[in-house]
Amino acid sequence: MKMFYKLQQKVENWFGHVFEKYGRFVARNPFKIILLVVFINIGLGFGLLRLEQESGIEQYTPTDSTASKNRDQIRELFAIDTAVNYYQQSLPDLGLFASVIIERNDEGNILDSSLWGDISALYDFINTTTAHDSTMGLALMGGNCVANRYNLGFAGILGTGLAIVGSFGLVSLCGAKFVDIVGAMPFLILGIGVDDMFILLSGLADTSSKDSVEDRIGQTMRTSGISVTITSVTDVIAFCAGAASVFPSVRNFSWYTGCAILFCYLNYVTYYIGCMTINEKRVSKNIHFCTCMPTKTRTDMEAAGQSKCKIFCCAGSPHKTRDEIEGPIEKYPKRLVKRIVLFKPTQIIICILFAVYLGFSVWGTTGFQEGLDIRDLVGKDSYYYDFYDTDQNMFSQSLIVSLNIQSDVNYRFESSFNQINSLVTNVQKDSQVFDDFLLSWLHAYRSSAVFDNTSDALFISGLQSFLSTVQGNVFVNDVMFDTSNSIVASRIHIMTESITSSNSQADLMVKIRESVESSSLPVFAYSPGFIFFEQYVQILPQTLQTLGICVAVVFVVTAIFMPLPFMIILVTVTVVMIMVGVIGFIKFWDLTLSSVTMIHIIMCVGFCIDFSTHMCHAFVQAEGTRNVRVAQALDMAGGPIFNGAISTIIGVLMLVFSSSYVFFSFFKIMLLVMVFGLIHSVFLLPVILAYIGPQYKVAKSDVYPEKTITFGGKQNRLEQTLPEPHPDYPGAE
């Protein structure tokens, strides 16, 4: 195991040296770096002028699916003019038509002769209507007006905003369309950016105010640069995996978000480091954070008899210890957590609670529903929301499915007719398909008075005569002729029972396709609803595939920057546990697995990685026994984790009041991610590390100065390990 520790030290030292050297460079040129980054972000932001929006509901369905390919075939085979021959069963898609539901206000019988005049007037109005297609201040504020980091909080938020503007502009220039769900992305980027900010500030707080600003910035980048880089690189690669999704909404969201995370990272290690440099130079000169005027210390102002209010608003001095500069969210929660996670009885309770949590999560993953209700894409106060509910509850949701024969078949022969009958019988064997409904031009033609199959010419002429009759006009879109009057394509229609469950809809689509594929005819089944049913078939494997790639990325990136087998496995397992918890609790929060929630779940990977990596990396950097290192890790990473989680939760709280399913589901999953990520990182990981965390060395600070004694006439060197410092938690041994 010492081999891995030595490798870890070499990797840490090499990257640390690179980041320290880079940090010193930025500290020497802060204004130039800030101006350059601002101009680049704003310049790319002009790309927003080319922003294109994709707002159709098909952004939530998979592209290049079997149904979409079949639809292209339908459009090629059956060229119809709905303005002349409109039949709903012939449409290749949902079409530009509307349904009107008529209800009495008193819920009485609609077939009342007194209402016929109103219904006729409504009918006339509809017929004359033409439709057209249209395409963080609580956390960094303190009473020290010099060491105060309030300005750095604003600078961090501004840097995140610049990253969003620049990334949006760049992705828009590249041609990616803006989908509805991208509107929730700024909340995610703000959370990730704030997390990076607190980690950098935590590293800065650990430096000595006696050192020069350049030394302190270099040391900050040495200790915090690796942690921020691990999380950012992993997040970007994870969203690159999402960019390969078959769902346009997931694909485009991943492009926008992955690029924004990259810009956010680059802004923080350039622009924000420059802002930190300027702020620390101000602090070193004892300048007020707001007025930029020289400031007296609290002691001097008290000695001069100044009022408490003036002292609070005007007094200040550079900080001497980490405790002086930390905000209340950084300072107090981690003190309590240390007493909890290093107290043996509570360690046992934590393990039991997590076992129960994991059990519920696994159980939840076995029962969640798949699919996306179309009504969820609009607000609950929308007109369509009520219409959809009424339609679902009052009317049948039966589906008309077309069986499309796509090449030359001589329909005059009895053998062809028998093959079609066999096809229909096979499909109608399914219990969810009506066996007494068949809309078939061939069956209707054969029972008509003009049917004649004595020759090909008479068969075709009789068919064309039949299609021109009132009885046969309903089939006019179902038979296509070429210039020589040969039938090049035809279709018949079957009907399913009323099915509203997404799983049942997907199963039925698959079973009908299997039945059709067994036919000797060149036939395929299609219904416009299949376009949406495809998501129910593909959403689970797509989600598992993307999450699998994300977990692999976590493993590889962690192995590169922190090549300790135990820590690599621990970070990866923690990420998996958090994701299982989020997916499992989807069931308990009345959410379904869809392309919308799939995006949210992919997002959760970023925060899972952030919190767990920060804690594990801080533990690796600490020295001493396990308990001491856990305490030091909580000191170093606990505050930023609490700050990041609470700030993000506050940021997304406004979405509670949103009537949009997309935004409200985003809030629900983000809350789960923040809570689960927080408790795993500050409760479970410290307990595990306190018991079985790797110990690769005894720190020099834990060894008495070397002594030489004479024993048996020989000189002997003696090293004795110091006792563990008495920690401030109950029950310590």
Side-chain angles (χ1 to χ4, degrees):
M1 298 300 287
K2 288 184 178 180
M3 174 186 69
F4 291 108
Y5 173 74
K6 291 180 180 179
L7 177 61
Q8 156 67 20
Q9 290 300 299
K10 289 182 179 179
V11 170
E12 187 88 20
N13 289 335
W14 188 85
F15 279 110
H17 175 72
V18 171
F19 280 116
E20 181 177 2
K21 192 173 181 180
Y22 168 75
R24 290 177 177 274
F25 168 77
V26 175
R28 290 193 298 269
N29 306 277
F31 288 102
K32 293 179 181 178
I33 297 294
I34 291 173
L35 290 175
L36 178 63
V37 172
V38 170
F39 282 134
I40 290 176
N41 280 270
I42 293 177
L44 289 173
F46 282 101
L48 287 169
L49 296 174
R50 297 189 58 182
L51 183 71
E52 294 183 30
Q53 187 170 4
E54 183 175 336
S55 57
I57 56 177
E58 289 194 21
Q59 63 181 287
Y60 300 103
T61 64
T63 56
D64 204 32
S65 63
T66 301
S68 62
K69 292 176 181 177
N70 289 157
R71 181 174 60 184
D72 292 339
Q73 291 176 285
I74 293 287
R75 287 171 173 165
E76 182 179 347
L77 292 172
F78 300 94
I80 60 175
D81 184 2
T82 55
V84 178
N85 298 307
Y86 177 84
Y87 294 103
Q88 187 173 344
Q89 75 272 10
S90 304
L91 298 178
D93 48 39
L94 294 182
L96 289 177
F97 71 91
S99 299
V100 178
I101 298 177
I102 304 174
E103 290 183 293
R104 286 182 57 149
N105 292 331
D106 60 3
E107 300 182 355
N109 188 355
I110 199 69
L111 298 178
D112 189 331
S113 58
S114 63
L115 301 176
W116 290 357
D118 293 332
I119 295 175
S120 297
L122 178 61
Y123 177 79
D124 293 338
F125 172 77
I126 293 172
N127 277 333
T128 57
T129 301
T130 303
H132 300 278
D133 186 18
S134 61
T135 321
M136 221 105 337
L138 75 96
L140 299 175
M141 189 67 176
N144 189 329
C145 297
V146 172
N148 192 300
R149 298 179 294 173
Y150 196 68
N151 291 337
L152 287 178
F154 278 116
I157 295 173
L158 179 59
T160 303
L162 288 171
I164 294 171
V165 171
S167 61
F168 269 45
L170 178 60
V171 177
S172 297
L173 285 172
C174 293
K177 293 185 177 181
F178 183 93
V179 293
D180 299 337
I181 188 64
V182 177
M185 182 265 280
F187 297 98
L188 169 68
I189 302 303
L190 181 63
I192 292 176
V194 166
D195 180 64
D196 289 345
M197 178 182 72
F198 286 130
I199 288 296
L200 291 172
L201 291 178
S202 177
L204 182 63
D206 258 0
T207 61
S208 173
S209 59
K210 297 179 181 179
D211 295 336
S212 68
V213 172
E214 181 178 328
D215 289 341
R216 296 179 63 205
I217 295 297
Q219 187 61 28
T220 298
M221 286 301 294
R222 184 181 187 93
T223 56
S224 302
I226 294 178
S227 186
V228 171
T229 301
I230 291 175
T231 57
S232 299
V233 170
T234 310
D235 289 346
V236 171
I237 298 177
F239 278 102
C240 286
S245 173
V246 298
F247 293 92
S249 56
V250 177
R251 185 168 60 243
N252 289 0
F253 178 88
S254 297
W255 277 117
Y256 275 97
T257 307
C259 188
I261 292 173
L262 178 60
F263 271 57
C264 192
Y265 167 71
L266 295 176
N267 281 7
Y268 270 95
V269 297
T270 52
Y271 154 87
Y272 192 69
I273 295 298
C275 293
M276 288 171 60
T277 301
I278 295 172
N279 185 75
E280 291 310 300
K281 287 182 178 179
R282 174 191 63 79
V283 172
S284 66
K285 295 177 182 178
N286 220 55
I287 301 296
H288 195 283
F289 83 99
C290 183
T291 64
C292 296
M293 299 292 290
T295 303
K296 294 181 180 180
T297 65
R298 178 180 292 271
T299 303
D300 291 342
M301 294 189 72
E302 288 175 347
Q306 300 290 345
S307 66
K308 292 183 179 180
C309 180
K310 188 171 184 179
I311 292 173
F312 179 82
C313 295
C314 300
S317 60
H319 75 282
K320 296 179 181 178
T321 64
R322 181 188 184 96
D323 191 64
E324 292 178 15
I325 200 173
E326 288 185 327
I329 298 179
E330 291 176 287
K331 188 182 302 182
Y332 301 114
K334 68 183 182 184
R335 291 182 181 178
L336 177 62
V337 169
K338 279 195 289 186
R339 298 175 68 85
I340 293 174
V341 300
L342 295 177
F343 183 40
K344 284 184 170 53
T346 54
Q347 288 176 336
I348 297 173
I349 295 173
I350 289 172
C351 292
I352 293 173
L353 291 176
F354 267 93
V356 174
Y357 147 83
L358 191 59
F360 271 100
S361 300
V362 173
W363 176 56
T365 59
T366 63
F368 64 82
Q369 296 294 314
E370 301 172 40
L372 177 66
D373 242 339
I374 296 178
R375 71 170 183 176
D376 288 335
L377 299 179
V378 299
K380 291 186 177 180
D381 55 352
S382 166
Y383 183 91
Y384 178 77
Y385 196 93
D386 292 334
F387 176 92
Y388 183 88
D389 273 349
T390 303
D391 184 52
Q392 292 282 311
N393 296 329
M394 304 296 292
F395 297 93
S396 171
Q397 301 303 308
S398 293
L399 197 69
I400 293 182
V401 181
S402 62
L403 307 179
N404 307 273
I405 303 173
Q406 55 184 325
S407 64
D408 292 341
V409 173
N410 197 323
Y411 298 94
R412 180 171 69 90
F413 294 141
E414 195 70 22
S415 58
S416 299
F417 181 67
N418 291 335
Q419 285 180 305
I420 292 175
N421 276 334
S422 176
L423 168 66
V424 172
T425 301
N426 197 28
V427 173
Q428 290 181 338
K429 284 181 180 178
D430 191 286
S431 59
Q432 293 179 310
V433 178
F434 288 120
D435 57 6
D436 57 353
F437 177 91
L438 179 64
L439 195 60
S440 168
W441 64 271
L442 183 57
H443 290 73
Y445 172 45
R446 288 174 65 95
S447 62
S448 71
V450 295
F451 174 69
D452 189 343
N453 66 343
T454 55
S455 68
D456 290 343
L458 291 174
F459 181 85
I460 295 297
S461 63
L463 175 58
Q464 291 175 334
S465 298
F466 170 70
L467 295 176
S468 64
T469 64
V470 175
Q471 178 190 1
N473 187 257
V474 70
F475 304 107
V476 72
N477 294 330
D478 294 339
V479 186
M480 292 292 115
F481 301 93
D482 61 12
T483 54
S484 62
N485 277 340
S486 297
I487 300 176
V488 294
S490 74
R491 58 187 169 189
I492 58 178
H493 307 276
I494 60 170
M495 181 181 287
T496 71
E497 292 183 347
S498 182
I499 304 172
T500 57
S501 164
S502 58
N503 289 335
S504 299
Q505 290 169 339
D507 291 342
L508 179 62
M509 178 182 70
V510 172
K511 287 189 290 185
I512 289 178
R513 284 176 177 169
E514 290 174 349
S515 299
V516 167
E517 287 171 359
S518 65
S519 173
S520 57
L521 292 169
V523 61
F524 65 90
Y526 175 77
S527 174
F530 285 4
I531 295 291
F532 305 98
F533 298 171
E534 289 281 8
Q535 64 172 309
Y536 311 143
V537 176
Q538 297 196 35
I539 187 63
L540 182 58
Q542 276 282 307
T543 303
L544 294 178
Q545 173 185 313
T546 304
L547 290 180
I549 294 173
C550 292
V551 171
V553 168
V554 171
F555 187 90
V556 172
V557 174
T558 306
I560 293 174
F561 289 94
M562 197 165 50
L564 300 172
F566 180 84
M567 305 308 281
I568 296 169
I569 295 172
L570 186 59
V571 170
T572 305
V573 170
T574 302
V575 169
V576 172
M577 285 180 63
I578 297 174
M579 288 192 295
V580 169
V582 172
I583 296 174
F585 275 73
I586 282 179
K587 171 186 176 180
F588 306 124
W589 216 332
D590 198 28
L591 293 174
T592 60
L593 181 61
S594 66
S595 56
V596 172
T597 50
M598 176 184 175
I599 292 171
H600 301 157
I601 292 170
I602 294 173
M603 288 190 312
C604 87
V605 177
F607 288 101
C608 300
I609 297 165
D610 287 358
F611 294 163
S612 57
T613 300
H614 295 331
M615 183 58 64
C616 289
H617 188 253
F619 180 84
V620 170
Q621 288 183 314
E623 295 181 347
T625 61
R626 289 191 178 106
N627 282 352
V628 172
R629 293 169 74 190
V630 166
Q632 290 178 4
L634 285 169
D635 277 333
M636 183 70 180
I641 290 174
F642 274 108
N643 263 336
I646 294 173
S647 299
T648 303
I649 291 173
I650 292 174
V652 300
L653 270 178
M654 64 182 69
L655 298 180
V656 173
F657 307 103
S658 173
S659 61
S660 166
Y661 170 82
V662 172
F663 289 146
F664 192 59
S665 63
F666 175 82
F667 162 75
K668 286 183 174 181
I669 292 185
M670 281 297 291
L671 184 60
L672 288 177
V673 171
M674 287 297 102
V675 172
F676 291 164
L678 180 65
I679 62 176
H680 277 78
S681 301
V682 300
F683 288 104
L684 181 62
L685 283 179
V687 169
I688 294 174
L689 293 171
Y691 274 98
I692 56 175
Q695 293 195 113
Y696 297 103
K697 70 170 184 178
V698 177
K700 292 181 180 179
S701 59
D702 291 340
V703 179
Y704 282 119
E706 185 178 287
K707 293 182 179 180
T708 302
I709 62 173
T710 302
F711 181 75
K714 295 182 180 181
Q715 296 281 333
N716 295 277
R717 290 184 302 174
L718 176 65
E719 285 187 355
Q720 181 179 355
T721 303
L722 288 169
E724 178 184 343
H726 185 69
D728 61 345
Y729 52 86
E733 296 178 353

